[in-house]
Amino acid sequence: MNTIRTHLDSPLGELLLTGEQSPDGTALTSLRLADGPGTGAGEHRDDPAFAEAARQLSAYFAGRLTRFRLPFAAEGTEFQQRVWRALDEIPYGTTTTYGALAERLGVPRAEVRAVGAAIGANPLLVVRPCHRVIGADGSMRGYAGGVERKVRLLTHEGALQPMLG
């Protein structure tokens, strides 16, 4: 497999998409804000390979797409993968809490922090909707892109009301 990347402008700022290219296409391994750490060794830029991801992200930010249908190849532990699959099931325009997600996964209350840690390790911002998980008191807990961007995404999806400025 061949590791490739591209940069994409978005309302959140510049995004860095990384993927694994195979004869079957490109599977997304990471989507993060480009203002983070640099690209890995051995990656090369290949914008056309991410055309479908770019199209879906553009449609999402334009309000025309509510569910991403992209191949993912993000690496994580078995537990992380389980949590990430549960994130994929949180409907557009809704939120859930860390505790409710843990309960749905059958994780004991005492281990809710492990669910939070798995969510925090999600390498696929926006397309795997970790931004839809909030504190039990409605607070906007951590988000790798920053809490302000989390609020912007939830407002965009209609889960939060726009703030009056």
Side-chain angles (χ1 to χ4, degrees):
M1 293 224 213
N2 190 15
T3 302
I4 54 175
R5 67 177 166 81
T6 193
H7 292 259
L8 186 66
D9 286 329
S10 82
L12 300 178
E14 187 179 21
L15 301 174
L16 173 63
L17 288 74
T18 306
E20 293 291 333
Q21 196 171 35
S22 73
D24 298 328
T26 302
L28 207 53
T29 57
S30 172
L31 189 158
R32 60 184 172 81
L33 291 158
D35 57 355
T39 61
E43 294 176 7
H44 72 275
R45 189 161 179 154
D46 187 345
D47 298 341
F50 293 96
E52 181 59 19
R55 185 193 70 73
Q56 288 189 36
L57 283 161
S58 178
Y60 168 81
F61 285 118
R64 297 187 314 270
L65 182 81
T66 61
R67 186 169 181 90
F68 291 95
R69 287 176 172 64
L70 295 168
F72 299 149
E75 293 184 16
T77 66
E78 186 178 318
F79 181 75
Q80 288 171 329
Q81 295 285 346
R82 207 170 121 225
V83 172
W84 298 343
R85 283 190 300 274
L87 291 176
D88 291 336
E89 300 306 315
I90 304 170
Y92 178 93
T94 67
T95 60
T96 192
T97 65
Y98 294 91
L101 192 61
E103 186 176 318
R104 186 170 349 142
L105 290 166
V107 174
R109 273 268 320 131
E111 296 176 30
V112 170
R113 286 181 189 251
V115 172
I119 293 168
N122 171 30
L124 296 168
L125 297 184
V126 183
V127 297
R128 178 159 279 149
C130 55
H131 59 275
R132 296 180 188 152
V133 183
I134 63 173
D137 61 358
S139 62
M140 298 296 123
R141 302 268 165 84
Y143 180 65
V147 171
E148 176 187 307
R149 288 184 176 113
K150 181 175 189 162
V151 169
R152 286 172 57 191
L153 287 168
L154 291 173
T155 302
H156 167 73
E157 293 184 4
L160 293 178
Q161 294 300 311
M163 300 293 284
L164 297 177

